């Protein structure tokens, strides 16, 4: 998305006959990324009797912690991702 916005902004600055020449000047407002996400991959083995053919997921109430696990093989092994 940034490269598209950069290209449109450059085109508009080079010529007023750019893509948005009928409207006001194209501007891009960039905000500081203050929502840094940290993740960790977690191998997971399901207990006997659990279904091994579905995705498992859980989230905290406030949405800051997320855990998703996808089947890695037919033996109950999963590849999980913990996202903070």
């Amino acid at each position: 998305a940034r490269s598209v916005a950069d290209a449109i902004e450059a085109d508009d600055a080079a010529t007023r006959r750019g893509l948005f020449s009928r409207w006001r000047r194209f501007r891009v407002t960039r905000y500081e990324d203050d929502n840094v996400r940290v993740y960790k991959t977690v191998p997971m083995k399901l207990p006997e009797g659990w279904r091994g053919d579905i995705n498992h997921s859980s989230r905290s109430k406030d949405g800051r912690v997320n855990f998703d696990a996808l089947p890695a093989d037919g033996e109950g092994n999963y590849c999980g991702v913990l996202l903070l």
Side-chain angles (χ1 to χ4, degrees):
R2 289 182 182 173
S3 59
V4 172
D6 289 341
I8 293 171
E9 189 177 34
D11 180 64
D12 190 57
T15 174
R16 287 302 299 154
R17 294 185 309 189
L19 296 173
F20 298 98
S21 61
R22 295 183 204 153
W23 302 285
R24 64 187 173 125
R25 190 168 185 95
F26 183 83
R27 293 178 305 175
V28 176
T29 303
R30 291 186 172 85
Y31 299 95
E32 182 179 341
D33 183 8
D34 62 353
N35 189 21
V36 177
R37 302 291 289 211
V38 178
Y39 71 93
K40 175 70 176 167
T41 56
V42 181
M44 187 174 98
K45 177 84 170 163
L46 290 180
E48 288 293 323
W50 284 41
R51 286 186 62 181
D53 61 341
I54 59 174
N55 300 347
H56 291 276
S57 179
S58 62
R59 289 166 180 72
S60 62
K61 286 184 180 181
D62 63 2
R64 295 296 295 170
V65 179
N66 180 24
F67 181 74
D68 287 302
L70 301 168
D73 59 23
E75 299 174 13
N77 292 310
Y78 273 70
C79 178
V81 176
L82 180 63
L83 184 61
L84 304 172

